[in-house]
């Protein structure tokens, strides 16, 4: 018996309640009573990137700088949701750019990744959106983004797919046009 006053039930919670009824033979049991509210709270968090503007995230932390050397932030943890199965995919993003007069606070690159990861996604689009957002706001000479991820929709359902990783990349500007830049970037990403 729960003494908690049930709050106003949202359409989201009603939908989760329906889902539980479809999945569990005993959807009214104690352990599931508060599940619709918890699931809504969790999913609102997983998807809060829709409410964030990458221009604001980056734009607040731009600095003038003369350097034209590659800036690379490796191993940015990502957690996202596959839009086909609503199952998590997770892994690492590697984000690089070559400045053209402006640099951005390094932590902001990780935050831009989060803005797009916290949406219903496919990995290919996530990779492109991160690269293009940095290109648009920073106007650098080039941007490179590589994402390596494991998808629970594959890992939990498939046999012998437990260790598969999906790698996607998006290369813009010099990273696309200049072979040396591209090679340098990919070597840095692969190297330990
Ligand atoms: Zn999936």
């Amino acid at each position: 018996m729960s003494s908690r006053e049930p709050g106003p039930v949202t359409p989201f919670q009603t939908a989760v309640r329906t889902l539980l009824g479809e999945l569990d033979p005993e959807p009214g049991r104690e352990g599931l009573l508060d599940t619709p509210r918890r699931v809504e709270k969790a999913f609102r968090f997983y998807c809060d990137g829709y409410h964030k503007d990458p221009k604001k995230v980056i734009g607040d932390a731009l600095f003038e700088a003369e350097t034209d050397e590659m800036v690379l932030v490796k191993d940015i943890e990502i957690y996202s949701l596959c839009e086909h199965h609503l199952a998590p995919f997770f892994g690492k993003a590697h984000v690089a750019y070559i400045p053209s007069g402006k640099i951005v606070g390094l932590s902001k690159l990780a935050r831009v990744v989060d803005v797009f990861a916290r949406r219903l996604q496919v990995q290919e689009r996530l990779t492109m959106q991160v690269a293009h957002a940095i290109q648009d706001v920073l106007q650098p000479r080039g941007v490179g983004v590589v994402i390596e991820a494991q998808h629970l929709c594959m890992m939990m359902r498939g046999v012998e797919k437990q260790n598969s990783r999906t790698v996607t990349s998006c290369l813009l500007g010099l990273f696309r046009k200049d072979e040396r830049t591209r090679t340098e970037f990919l070597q840095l990403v692969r190297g330990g």
Side-chain angles (χ1 to χ4, degrees):
M1 289 273 282
S2 171
S3 59
R4 191 197 314 270
E5 240 353 79
V9 173
T10 64
F12 191 109
Q13 291 169 29
T14 303
V16 175
R17 177 65 65 205
T18 304
L19 194 62
L20 293 174
E22 293 292 322
L23 294 174
D24 196 280
E26 220 186 311
R29 63 192 166 81
E30 178 75 35
L32 296 178
L33 283 183
D34 206 24
T35 297
R37 189 193 59 79
R38 283 188 298 249
V39 172
E40 174 165 25
K41 193 174 174 210
F43 272 76
R44 298 282 180 211
F45 178 81
Y46 303 152
C47 293
D48 77 353
Y50 289 112
H51 308 294
K52 301 208 167 127
D53 180 355
K55 287 195 184 71
K56 284 195 188 136
V57 168
I58 306 176
D60 288 348
L62 290 181
F63 308 99
E64 304 291 324
E66 291 305 312
T67 176
D68 60 356
E69 297 295 327
M70 186 184 302
V71 178
L72 166 65
V73 179
K74 274 179 70 165
D75 297 333
I76 300 167
E77 281 179 67
I78 59 154
Y79 298 92
S80 190
L81 284 178
C82 145
E83 70 182 16
H84 300 136
H85 302 96
L86 298 187
F89 64 94
F90 60 94
K92 288 171 177 175
H94 314 291
V95 177
Y97 69 98
I98 296 177
S100 174
K102 281 182 285 186
I103 57 171
V104 65
L106 295 177
S107 66
K108 303 296 179 181
L109 295 175
R111 287 196 53 206
V112 169
V113 172
D114 268 348
V115 165
F116 293 105
R118 291 207 190 134
R119 301 179 185 201
L120 303 181
Q121 276 292 8
V122 294
Q123 186 179 329
E124 295 87 338
R125 187 174 63 230
L126 170 60
T127 310
M128 283 175 48
Q129 285 175 329
V130 171
H132 284 276
I134 294 166
Q135 181 68 40
D136 288 350
V137 181
L138 209 53
Q139 308 264 301
R141 291 184 188 143
V143 180
V145 176
V146 169
I147 295 181
E148 316 170 45
Q150 293 181 284
H151 292 246
L152 283 183
C153 57
M154 282 180 73
M155 296 166 73
M156 290 177 71
R157 297 187 307 164
V159 181
E160 297 172 356
K161 295 187 181 68
Q162 277 66 19
N163 293 309
S164 70
R165 285 185 312 160
T166 304
V167 182
T168 48
S169 67
C170 181
L171 305 173
L172 304 175
L174 280 184
F175 288 76
R176 177 174 288 275
K177 285 179 284 196
D178 182 56
E179 175 128 18
R180 277 181 55 207
T181 301
R182 183 168 62 237
T183 305
E184 180 187 352
F185 170 60
L186 295 175
Q187 276 175 353
L188 286 169
V189 164
R190 285 189 198 117

